[in-house]
Amino acid sequence: MTHTVAASDGVSLAVHAYTEIDQRRPTILAIHGYPDNHHVWDGVAGNLSGRYNFVAYDVRGIGESSAPDDRSGYRLPQLVSDTGAVIDSLGVDEVHLLAHDWGSIQAWAAVTDESVMGKIASFTSISGPHLNYAGRFLRSARTPRGVADVARQFLASTYIWFFLCPGAPELAIQSRATAKVFEAVARIGRSSTRSQRGAVPRSTHDYLNGLNLYRANMPGPLLSPGEQLPQTRVPVQVLVPRKDYFVSPPLQRFTGAIPDGSRVVTIEGGHWVVNSRPDVIARLTSEWIDLVTEGAAPTGKSSVVTGARDVRGKLALVTGAGSGIGRATAIEFARQGAATVVLVDRDHATANETAEMVRAAGAEAAVYPLDVTDEAAMEDLAAQVHNKHGVVDILVNNAGIAMAGRFLETSSEQWDAIIAVNVRGVINGSRAFGGQMVERGQGGTIINVASAAAFLPSKSMVAYGTTKAAVLALSESMRADLADEGITVTAVCPGFVNTNIAKSTIYAGMSAEAQERARQRADAAYRRRNYTPEAVAKAIVKSVRTGSPVLPIAAESRVGYAMRRISPSLVRLVARFDIRQT
């Protein structure tokens, strides 16, 4: 449904309601950017119109709206007045603003304007800063990293100076060169398997008239932002596409610090994420509106929903968490600020013991008994965790078993058993929880615990080395496959760690008495080495931040990893020794 609203200067604004206006539902008012029109919101509206009144309008001079007589009609005060007029025409007490690109720039001006601020219940900004704050950002560099951030934004903003040139932008638009450039940029960050690839219909008219937004309002605020920056009382959410080419994430996060009680969320995607991942935009917008409506929005200083490579405030899940490396890792996550650690283990009692330690270290803990080899149970677990805790941010596939023995000594049943736990268990966990990470669109971390045996073959541990090499190869392939989703995958290769694994190792081809003697010898050797699970846990948690593809931890693992590349023939020679006899 479309109706027109007369702006204060007589311009006719085309307002498109995707739903009937129901006074009992919150109303979302969406403002598009350049060179788009209201159709950029079609996908988002499709995801939100069931719960909300969803309205978008064509900015003056764009789409079905008429154009002012001269360039002065595109100045920000007039654009703010337009927003107020559209809100008044809807017959609702207040709206929740949702804006992208230039729409977000004018929305920032609206939420900091006393005449309109009171009509806005909340604001979700995507890829569009307040121009005065952008000017302040360009002067904010105090560190080498800050200088790099500002320099990057200067380079990304070169198109603005081109748009301010007389004549040249019009020629580029008429020749379709500008459209081709924008289409190319739109492909940046659109490589997710969930990305939609439908093009927003744009006309030459939209491109040409939209130039006036730049020419009427720039570069003044960028060059002279003023000493007193505008403020707002409107709760603000800033969605920061990690691969935004035009508006860098540091600039968007800087802008997001304007009001108290704001929220900054990093998401996967490029500048036109509103078109490629409308489901993500819709979910986060709905989430923010609900928080504001229920009075649960953060208060005080702005809250930052940390990026994928951080532990603070995150939801982590560890399999094999009842003892050893799994237990130590769960506790270390708690110590480093994780909000909740989900503990998965076949042994419910030992997992509960770990839970008490996690809580003592400062995090919430939840225990789920599970056999990682059961794919259906893993899928059910993922659904339970999602419903109760949300999407897992950090997954550690740690559950595993050890097995020693020569190739011909290892039975088919033993092969099936170790492959089920060490390989299928990792696949099951990664599929169940990795799929949720992709769907959410905010990245994540998957850590698969392999072993130095992955790159140090031994005739004494054929089955174990094979499964851990499979985990290493799987991890590196997953890393390549999930990179476009912002999901980092790391293969951890600890080395000889002093855990109870030596006491439970299966020795193929040996009698029960011989196995027990071998376990005792191995356990004594591990204790002499005394590389602790806590040391491994610190390295695992650190790897969330560093995003290493392969992480050999203990000295023997690091040396072995280096030797595998330096002298493979030496590694193959050492593999011929039967380490069970030592």
Side-chain angles (χ1 to χ4, degrees):
M1 297 171 288
T2 302
H3 70 276
T4 58
V5 173
S8 59
D9 62 350
V11 165
S12 178
L13 302 172
V15 181
H16 307 271
Y18 288 80
T19 60
E20 294 279 356
I21 303 298
D22 184 341
Q23 297 287 343
R24 295 168 297 180
R25 299 188 303 193
T27 299
I28 297 173
L29 177 61
I31 312 176
H32 66 81
Y34 178 84
D36 301 317
N37 50 58
H38 78 279
H39 284 296
V40 77
W41 297 112
D42 289 352
V44 177
N47 282 276
L48 288 173
S49 55
R51 290 186 58 198
Y52 306 93
N53 304 319
F54 196 98
V55 181
Y57 71 95
D58 289 322
V59 173
R60 54 178 48 219
I62 309 297
E64 298 172 32
S65 294
S66 63
D69 294 331
D70 57 55
R71 185 177 298 165
S72 63
Y74 289 91
R75 289 176 181 161
L76 277 172
Q78 183 60 63
L79 298 177
V80 170
S81 175
D82 289 353
T83 301
V86 171
I87 294 172
D88 292 340
S89 76
L90 300 177
V92 297
D93 293 333
E94 57 186 8
V95 300
H96 298 269
L97 273 190
L98 170 62
H100 172 249
D101 188 74
W102 249 102
S104 187
I105 290 174
Q106 68 186 71
W108 276 113
V111 299
T112 54
D113 187 288
E114 286 291 345
S115 67
V116 182
M117 193 188 306
K119 304 174 184 179
I120 302 170
S122 74
F123 172 36
T124 294
S125 167
I126 310 159
S127 298
H130 193 297
L131 291 184
N132 294 79
Y133 278 81
R136 180 65 64 86
F137 169 79
L138 296 176
R139 292 161 176 74
S140 66
R142 298 292 183 272
T143 64
R145 181 172 181 176
V147 171
D149 287 341
V150 169
R152 177 184 172 191
Q153 185 57 56
F154 264 119
L155 291 173
S157 299
T158 52
Y159 73 97
I160 294 175
W161 311 110
F162 176 70
F163 284 171
L164 298 181
C165 295
E170 285 83 353
L171 289 174
I173 291 169
Q174 295 288 359
S175 70
R176 297 288 298 164
T178 300
K180 293 296 183 184
V181 170
F182 276 65
E183 288 169 6
V185 172
R187 288 193 287 271
I188 298 174
R190 202 174 62 184
S191 51
S192 167
T193 56
R194 299 295 194 277
S195 291
Q196 298 184 16
R197 287 163 174 79
V200 178
R202 301 166 179 154
S203 68
T204 301
H205 165 90
D206 294 339
Y207 277 98
L208 291 173
N209 282 352
L211 290 174
N212 292 306
L213 294 169
Y214 295 88
R215 292 170 173 174
N217 297 289
M218 292 185 177
L222 301 180
L223 300 178
S224 181
E227 290 298 320
Q228 194 70 28
L229 295 176
Q231 303 293 314
T232 184
R233 297 183 298 278
V234 175
V236 174
Q237 171 178 237
V238 180
L239 304 184
V240 182
R242 191 172 61 87
K243 297 180 182 178
D244 196 319
Y245 179 83
F246 290 127
V247 188
S248 66
L251 170 56
Q252 295 185 62
R253 286 192 289 266
F254 183 86
T255 303
I258 294 179
D260 289 340
S262 66
R263 181 172 85 156
V264 183
V265 184
T266 300
I267 59 178
E268 291 303 312
H271 186 74
W272 273 281
V273 67
V274 294
N275 187 43
S276 63
R277 289 301 304 270
D279 56 322
V280 174
I281 302 302
R283 176 178 57 79
L284 290 170
T285 300
S286 175
E287 187 178 289
W288 183 241
I289 291 172
D290 289 348
L291 286 172
V292 171
T293 303
E294 295 165 7
T299 57
K301 292 184 178 181
S302 305
S303 71
V304 177
V305 178
T306 54
R309 290 188 179 181
D310 205 338
V311 175
R312 293 175 296 111
K314 293 299 180 62
L315 172 62
L317 184 147
V318 183
T319 68
S323 62
I325 293 172
R327 171 176 286 181
T329 300
I331 295 168
E332 185 64 19
F333 275 131
R335 288 174 176 161
Q336 295 302 318
T340 302
V341 185
V342 177
L343 309 168
V344 178
D345 200 286
R346 287 186 298 185
D347 190 329
H348 199 180
T350 58
N352 278 323
E353 292 172 5
T354 303
E356 292 302 316
M357 299 174 188
V358 166
R359 295 182 187 112
E364 295 294 323
V367 175
Y368 292 88
L370 181 85
D371 183 345
V372 297
T373 67
D374 188 334
E375 182 179 5
M378 185 69 80
E379 292 288 347
D380 184 58
L381 171 66
Q384 291 181 58
V385 171
H386 182 273
N387 292 337
K388 188 169 183 179
H389 307 285
V391 177
V392 168
D393 299 295
I394 305 165
L395 169 66
V396 182
N397 288 306
N398 166 71
I401 60 175
M403 185 178 295
R406 307 274 296 267
F407 175 69
L408 295 178
E409 294 172 343
T410 307
S411 69
S412 296
E413 292 77 11
Q414 289 170 330
W415 273 105
D416 289 342
I418 195 168
I419 289 173
V421 177
N422 291 6
V423 182
R424 288 297 312 184
V426 173
I427 293 171
N428 292 342
S430 299
R431 284 177 58 85
F433 293 99
Q436 292 181 358
M437 292 179 187
V438 172
E439 191 68 33
R440 179 180 60 174
Q442 291 175 240
T445 300
I446 297 175
I447 296 173
N448 298 326
V449 179
S451 168
F455 42 77
L456 288 175
S458 169
K459 72 177 184 181
S460 305
M461 303 185 73
V462 176
Y464 183 74
T466 298
T467 58
K468 291 305 183 179
V471 171
L472 176 58
L474 172 66
S475 300
E476 294 191 297
S477 297
M478 283 173 54
R479 183 182 179 91
D481 188 30
L482 298 177
D484 290 334
E485 313 291 352
I487 298 171
T488 302
V489 182
T490 297
V492 172
C493 303
F496 297 114
V497 183
N498 186 11
T499 68
N500 289 328
I501 193 169
K503 294 180 179 179
S504 59
T505 298
I506 298 169
Y507 285 82
M510 286 188 179
S511 66
E513 295 79 7
Q515 283 195 68
E516 187 57 34
R517 289 194 299 271
R519 287 172 186 148
Q520 291 175 1
R521 288 197 300 270
D523 183 59
Y526 275 57
R527 290 183 182 281
R528 286 195 298 273
R529 172 68 178 91
N530 199 29
Y531 196 87
T532 66
E534 289 73 23
V536 176
K538 289 180 185 297
I540 288 175
V541 174
K542 183 179 179 181
S543 75
V544 176
R545 303 186 180 96
T546 60
S548 305
V550 181
L551 183 64
I553 297 177
E556 62 272 12
S557 183
R558 295 196 301 271
V559 170
Y561 190 56
M563 288 304 298
R564 179 73 179 186
R565 290 176 290 178
I566 297 169
S567 181
S569 59
L570 178 60
V571 171
R572 288 191 288 269
L573 179 63
V574 172
R576 297 174 65 179
F577 288 90
D578 191 339
I579 61 175
R580 295 176 301 173
Q581 303 304 317
T582 61

